[in-house]
Amino acid sequence: RKEVEQDPGPFNVPEGATVAFNCTYSNSASQSFFWYRQDCRKEPKLLMSVYSSGNEDGRFTAQLNRASQYISLLIRDSKLSDSATYLCVVTPRRALTFGSGTRLQVQP
Amino acid sequence: EAQVTQNPRYLITVTGKKLTVTCSQNMNHEYMSWYRQDPGLGLRQIYYSMNVEVTDKGDVPEGYKVSRKEKRNFPLILESPSPNQTSLYFCASGMGGTETQYFGPGTRLLVL
């Protein structure tokens, strides 16, 4: 079993839609959680950290469920510029462990 | 401008010809790391460094070497590249291994 699992997608949604991604992780000792965004084989960039109480940054909301060992990312009012691959990141050891990513394609 | 730089950005080489990919950061970060990214496998950590002269293996260290003689630089060395090392390589830095990391632009390597 992979340490971090994500649905690879692609998720094809129209502009303005709400879309949600889930990510499951296997190591309950993980302490830090992140969502990174990666555009077309460019470098990953931090989208947001994920906190236990859940957190929001504009149109983006992240949630953590420690009991079920998953994190989620909700994107409201999708924009064309949101098209990218979203990487789930956890820390089962003293290093970041990346999921393979979920590809989002927002269509006009 | 705070950044991580990598050179070269693109490299085509032949099996067995030693090469070095440089990585430099200007954010005074203690932690630096190398990853490779392959389709379907995601980003996998090759080596990391917690500080100057402190390096350790990641998940896929075979065939690679690193050094950390200065805080800002963390070169990746392939002593005898093989075709299975064809990949997209990213260098990253951060305040710690479990903290936010900032990535360089990537190096596309093709080993023939």
Side-chain angles (χ1 to χ4, degrees):
Chain A
R1 183 185 173 188
K2 289 184 180 179
E3 287 189 290
V4 183
E5 299 215 47
Q6 295 183 251
D7 182 341
F11 284 58
N12 295 301
V13 303
E15 273 186 288
T18 295
V19 62
F21 308 135
N22 282 337
C23 160
T24 58
Y25 61 95
S26 60
N27 192 321
S28 60
S30 299
Q31 292 296 318
S32 301
F33 307 88
F34 308 91
W35 283 102
Y36 276 70
R37 170 193 169 130
Q38 185 175 27
D39 293 292
C40 199
R41 302 290 268 174
K42 293 191 175 179
E43 73 270 27
K45 294 184 179 179
L46 177 70
L47 179 66
M48 59 197 302
S49 301
V50 186
Y51 302 117
S52 296
S53 55
N55 48 298
E56 190 173 303
D57 183 0
R59 298 181 293 107
F60 299 84
T61 300
Q63 296 280 352
L64 168 64
N65 185 318
R66 285 189 184 273
S68 300
Q69 294 181 208
Y70 77 83
I71 66 176
S72 64
L73 178 67
L74 181 78
I75 305 175
R76 291 181 298 277
D77 189 21
S78 299
K79 312 289 185 191
L80 293 175
S81 58
D82 293 334
S83 296
T85 296
Y86 291 84
L87 306 173
C88 171
V89 184
V90 303
T91 56
R93 298 175 295 282
R94 292 184 304 165
L96 304 187
T97 298
F98 288 78
S100 298
T102 297
R103 192 155 68 89
L104 172 65
Q105 184 66 47
V106 181
Q107 294 163 339
Chain B
E1 180 190 354
Q3 61 182 352
V4 179
T5 57
Q6 293 179 228
N7 281 292
R9 295 289 312 281
Y10 304 91
L11 180 60
I12 301 174
T13 190
V14 296
T15 298
K17 186 175 181 182
K18 181 179 178 179
L19 65 93
T20 299
V21 184
T22 63
C23 172
S24 183
Q25 52 95 3
N26 63 1
M27 294 171 278
N28 202 36
H29 286 156
E30 293 186 346
Y31 185 91
M32 297 187 74
S33 181
W34 276 102
Y35 297 87
R36 62 178 288 174
Q37 187 172 34
D38 302 289
L41 297 176
L43 279 151
R44 294 178 293 167
Q45 191 179 51
I46 302 170
Y47 268 94
Y48 65 93
S49 170
M50 303 290 283
N51 213 326
V52 176
E53 301 292 359
V54 181
T55 63
D56 210 344
K57 296 177 181 178
D59 297 320
V60 288
E62 292 77 23
Y64 304 95
K65 285 177 57 177
V66 293
S67 68
R68 187 91 181 274
K69 293 183 169 51
E70 307 164 281
K71 197 171 189 178
R72 63 183 294 126
N73 295 325
F74 190 45
L76 179 70
I77 303 156
L78 285 71
E79 296 260 354
S80 183
S82 62
N84 65 12
Q85 292 179 297
T86 292
S87 189
L88 176 58
Y89 291 86
F90 289 105
C91 179
S93 72
M95 294 305 296
T98 59
E99 304 295 325
T100 301
Q101 291 188 29
Y102 301 87
F103 285 79
T107 296
R108 290 187 183 273
L109 172 65
L110 173 62
V111 183
L112 300 173

